[in-house]
Amino acid sequence: IQDGVNRIEFTCGKAAYEFIERMERIAKETVECIKVLEIPTIMVSSFQSGDITHDVYDSAQVFSVEPDMLPKTMKRFCREIVENHRELNRMRESLNLPEKTLAESVSEMKKPKNLKELCETVFSIWKSQKKQMEKMLSETAKIKADQLIKKAKNEMIFEVISGTRKELIEIAAELLKRNPRLTIILSNQAGEIVGMSNTKDMGKEIGELCRKAGGSGGGNPKLGQGRVELSKLLKIMEQS
């Protein structure tokens, strides 16, 4: 093809019908994915469209994926929304806040008019949840830091608490903000363990502790992470 000449490809005949059928299948499978959310305000069974191809391609751009990947991507986002909602309610409980249903959490969402708007709505819910989780994580860390800092002995905090690994790191960081001389080792009931300090090599400290407690770990001088057998860790804590 010479410079300045654009090539335009047309699909016609049987291939055209097969292409349209594929676009319709992609749209139908994408819409089916939202049933798991059980949110009445966005529940739809189908969309009437004059140009299903444009609808599918425009919708795929919302998630920055190819059209064939749209149903799989929508399914993943819906699954994460359900998981995020459970985690948000767990965090609400730790903050003594009432639980919410997923429908209550997105009550302001408008019913989508087409496939693209549906994808934008799902993406917006997912994004909003991430922001809420970051905010609540910070609030939870401050509350737990208030409780833990009272347990410091000889500038050391060594405790088993509830929370995810990410929460343990956030809490430890909050404690160090309040007292930079602290050495903090926190574990949860799953045996995930983190350590933070400005004065000790926590990668080495946590690595050694994990080996003694039947697990493994490591990290850098300021942050160590690993996994242990909780029963063995509790025995070590009793002896310390």
Side-chain angles (χ1 to χ4, degrees):
I1 299 176
Q2 297 177 356
D3 291 340
V5 178
N6 295 324
R7 180 172 63 188
I8 301 175
E9 296 182 2
F10 291 92
T11 303
C12 56
K14 183 181 179 181
Y17 285 114
E18 290 176 348
F19 179 77
I20 296 298
E21 286 178 356
R22 181 162 65 90
M23 294 295 105
E24 290 175 344
R25 174 180 54 77
I26 288 172
K28 183 178 179 180
E29 289 178 0
T30 301
V31 171
E32 283 288 311
C33 293
I34 67 168
K35 288 183 178 179
V36 69
L37 300 181
E38 298 181 343
I39 303 175
T41 53
I42 69 167
M43 291 298 287
V44 291
S45 56
S46 63
F47 292 109
Q48 296 296 324
S49 174
D51 193 338
I52 189 65
T53 300
H54 279 165
D55 275 0
V56 170
Y57 274 80
D58 288 346
S59 300
Q61 288 180 2
V62 173
F63 299 113
S64 300
V65 298
E66 293 297 317
D68 286 327
M69 292 297 295
L70 185 57
K72 185 176 180 180
T73 303
M74 176 66 94
K75 185 177 182 179
R76 177 172 65 82
F77 269 82
C78 288
R79 184 180 67 248
E80 288 189 13
I81 285 172
V82 172
E83 292 171 355
N84 291 343
H85 178 65
R86 292 196 192 105
E87 179 62 16
L88 280 167
N89 270 338
R90 187 191 67 77
M91 296 172 82
R92 288 187 182 103
E93 184 180 4
S94 69
L95 293 169
N96 294 319
L97 296 173
E99 290 189 1
K100 288 185 178 181
T101 65
L102 190 49
E104 288 172 336
S105 302
V106 295
S107 58
E108 297 180 0
M109 294 288 179
K110 296 180 180 179
K111 199 174 190 71
K113 299 176 183 177
N114 52 51
L115 187 61
K116 182 185 178 184
E117 285 190 9
L118 175 63
C119 292
E120 288 173 337
T121 297
V122 168
F123 184 76
S124 179
I125 293 171
W126 177 85
K127 190 174 180 180
S128 175
Q129 284 181 323
K130 292 295 184 183
K131 290 181 179 178
Q132 289 179 60
M133 289 170 74
E134 287 298 322
K135 182 179 179 181
M136 293 180 75
L137 178 61
S138 177
E139 292 174 0
T140 301
K142 289 177 181 177
I143 290 173
K144 290 190 176 181
D146 287 339
Q147 300 165 349
L148 287 170
I149 203 161
K150 298 172 185 177
K151 298 182 179 182
K153 292 181 180 179
N154 300 319
E155 297 187 338
M156 175 80 176
I157 295 176
F158 190 178
E159 295 287 336
V160 175
I161 62 174
S162 62
T164 63
R165 181 189 294 266
K166 189 174 182 180
E167 285 177 301
L168 299 184
I169 293 172
E170 191 78 13
I171 294 165
E174 180 65 28
L175 286 164
L176 271 185
K177 284 181 186 177
R178 301 183 185 196
N179 185 349
R181 297 184 302 278
L182 283 174
T183 292
I184 304 130
I185 298 176
L186 301 175
S187 173
N188 59 22
Q189 286 82 357
E192 294 176 315
I193 190 167
V194 303
M196 275 193 185
S197 178
N198 292 324
T199 59
K200 295 183 180 180
D201 188 331
M202 292 313 292
K204 290 182 179 179
E205 293 278 340
I206 292 297
E208 182 62 26
L209 179 58
C210 287
R211 283 190 289 275
K212 290 179 180 178
S216 62
N220 59 54
K222 288 200 172 184
L223 172 63
Q225 301 182 63
R227 183 177 287 274
V228 297
E229 292 182 31
L230 188 58
S231 59
K232 292 183 179 181
L233 179 67
L234 291 172
K235 288 180 181 179
I236 291 172
M237 291 176 68
E238 289 174 2
Q239 296 167 3
S240 63

